[in-house]
Amino acid sequence: MAASDAGLVQVVDVHKSFGRLEVLRGVSMTVGRGEVVCLIGPSGSGKTTLVRCINHLERIDAGRILVAGESVGYRERNGRLVEESDAIIAARRQNIGMVFQRFNLFPHLTALENVSVGPLRVLRRGRGEVYVEAKELLSSVGLADKFDSYPAQLSGGQQQRVAIARALAMHPAVMLFDEPTSALDPETVGEVLDVMRKLAKGGMTMIVVTHEMGFAREVADRIIMMDEGIVVEEGGADEIFARPEMERTKAFLRAIL
């Protein structure tokens, strides 16, 4: 089955433990091309671990993860998962953009250089075309006047927008967001969410871990509620927020809305 038929991102019965703590207990989900899926649930439910596993920043113990039809991080040999080489993992990651809670910008590089570093060093593209595209990306996230600014000269919201532009510079098939506004001051949250709304409207496939319920309700095509390492419930945003079926989902939404 082609990736377009099966889903751009496929997570199949994924398990992940840290020592004796089982963080993911058989999680499965499919994300279609152009779909926006928000992962909600209490802290410790496994949401962040799941998105880190999709990008192979965490190793899985069992199951399968495919992006654009290709396994991420592993191949199967005699019924067992065998980790791929670093080179193959790096090639697979080019399809996956990741935006973290903390911005993880290079402090010694300007905004323009931060956005350009991946295409220059990983994709080996020419500096001239990379810089032109990086300026376009920074302009698209509202930072046309910050090309030469260093991270320390930028607000948290501006740094996070640079981080989004940096991820987009690799032309990923899917963007992963791990609570991208949780480290921001309240007045800068909106500017980052606005950029994410624009991406969603433009058809970018997105998996978003978020506690911003208003954003999730407005933008998500589908909501996945997680708790204690499993998918408790999933459905359309209106369906989950207005008519949740599972008691755990109802209790969570009552506590935060």
Side-chain angles (χ1 to χ4, degrees), residues 150-204:
Y150 290 90
Q153 299 171 314
L154 301 173
S155 71
Q158 290 170 334
Q159 289 185 62
Q160 193 63 295
R161 284 184 280 156
V162 173
I164 293 172
R166 178 182 60 183
L168 292 171
M170 297 296 288
H171 297 283
V174 58
M175 286 282 286
L176 309 177
F177 294 86
D178 180 20
E179 297 191 32
T181 61
S182 65
L184 301 180
D185 294 328
E187 64 266 26
T188 64
V189 168
E191 63 193 42
V192 173
L193 294 180
D194 284 345
V195 170
M196 294 171 65
R197 289 186 185 97
K198 183 178 177 182
L199 287 177
K201 288 179 181 178
M204 173 60 71

Side-chain angles (χ1 to χ4, degrees), residues 100-172:
F100 301 87
Q101 296 178 30
R102 297 290 175 177
F103 324 120
N104 292 344
L105 299 177
F106 295 109
H108 62 291
L109 299 181
T110 65
L112 182 64
E113 290 166 340
N114 264 283
V115 174
S116 302
V117 67
L120 288 173
R121 296 186 182 179
V122 178
L123 302 181
R124 305 291 184 181
R125 294 175 55 199
R127 184 174 299 274
E129 64 173 346
V130 166
Y131 273 23
V132 168
E133 188 171 293
K135 289 178 179 179
E136 291 173 352
L137 284 168
L138 286 168
S139 297
S140 75
V141 299
L143 295 174
D145 58 339
K146 301 296 183 181
F147 296 160
D148 298 322
S149 298
Y150 290 90
Q153 299 171 314
L154 301 173
S155 71
Q158 290 170 334
Q159 289 185 62
Q160 193 63 295
R161 284 184 280 156
V162 173
I164 293 172
R166 178 182 60 183
L168 292 171
M170 297 296 288
H171 297 283

